Each structure stands twice: as structure tokens, then as C-alpha cells.
Amino acid sequence: MASTEPGIEGLAHDPRYQRLVRRRGRLSWLLTALMLVTYLGFILLVAFAKPLLAQPIAGGATTLGIPLGLGVIAVAIALTGFYVRRANAEFDHDVDALAGEHRP
């Protein structure tokens, strides 16, 4: 049930707002963890598996490290895109609805 208090105090106590904050926080932490695991994995490969990263691809001048490094960048872009899409489709709608109800 929506709070009848106007303004920020009412919004802070609204269970829908608290649920939104929890959901958005969980998603943010999950995406952060995925990015950290990706980046840390790459850094660990750089630190401990240099010969693996130095292997040429298809006998050319490009080594395995180049596409893996680009993969880290691609993961960052994909996770950002996922968050933006989810925020635009779900979180922004909920924020707008709550803000409309709690304007003083």
C-alpha cells in the first residue's frame, strides 16, 4: 500500500520504493561482480599465463591476448547496455510512478 505522507519522507517509507532500491542494488552488485570477475580473470592470465596469451592466432601476428582484451571491453559494453535497457524499461517507469504519487 502506498504511503499517504507527501514528499521525500513518504517516498522513503513506501514499500514499493524500498523494493525498487533493493532490486536495483542487487542488479548493480551482480553486474559489478560479473565485470570484476571478467577483468580479474584477464589480469590473472596476464600475470600467470603470458605464454598462453602470446600464442599467435592462425599463424599471424595477432596473439590470443588481443581478442581476449577486446572481449573484456565487449563485456563491459554489454553489461552497461543490459543495465541501461533494464533501467529504461523497468526502473524508470517505477521511479516516475512513485515520484508522481509523492510530489508535495
Side-chain angles (χ1 to χ4, degrees), residues 20-49:
L20 171 65
V21 169
R22 280 192 309 272
R23 284 183 14 241
R24 193 171 54 187
R26 275 194 308 264
L27 179 62
S28 296
W29 281 111
L30 173 66
L31 296 178
T32 299
L34 289 173
M35 190 64 236
L36 286 174
V37 166
T38 302
Y39 183 72
L40 181 62
F42 182 72
I43 294 302
L44 289 174
L45 283 174
V46 169
F48 299 112

Side-chain angles (χ1 to χ4, degrees), residues 73-104:
I73 295 168
V75 167
I77 292 169
L79 292 176
T80 301
F82 176 77
Y83 181 83
V84 168
R85 179 178 273 255
R86 178 107 181 249
N88 288 342
E90 187 177 332
F91 300 144
D92 288 352
H93 177 320
D94 294 345
V95 167
D96 290 342
L98 287 166
E101 291 178 20
H102 291 279
R103 284 201 171 88

Side-chain angles (χ1 to χ4, degrees), residues 38 42 62-77:
T38 302
F42 182 72
T62 302
T63 64
L64 185 60
I66 298 297
L68 288 178
L70 291 173
V72 171
I73 295 168
V75 167
I77 292 169

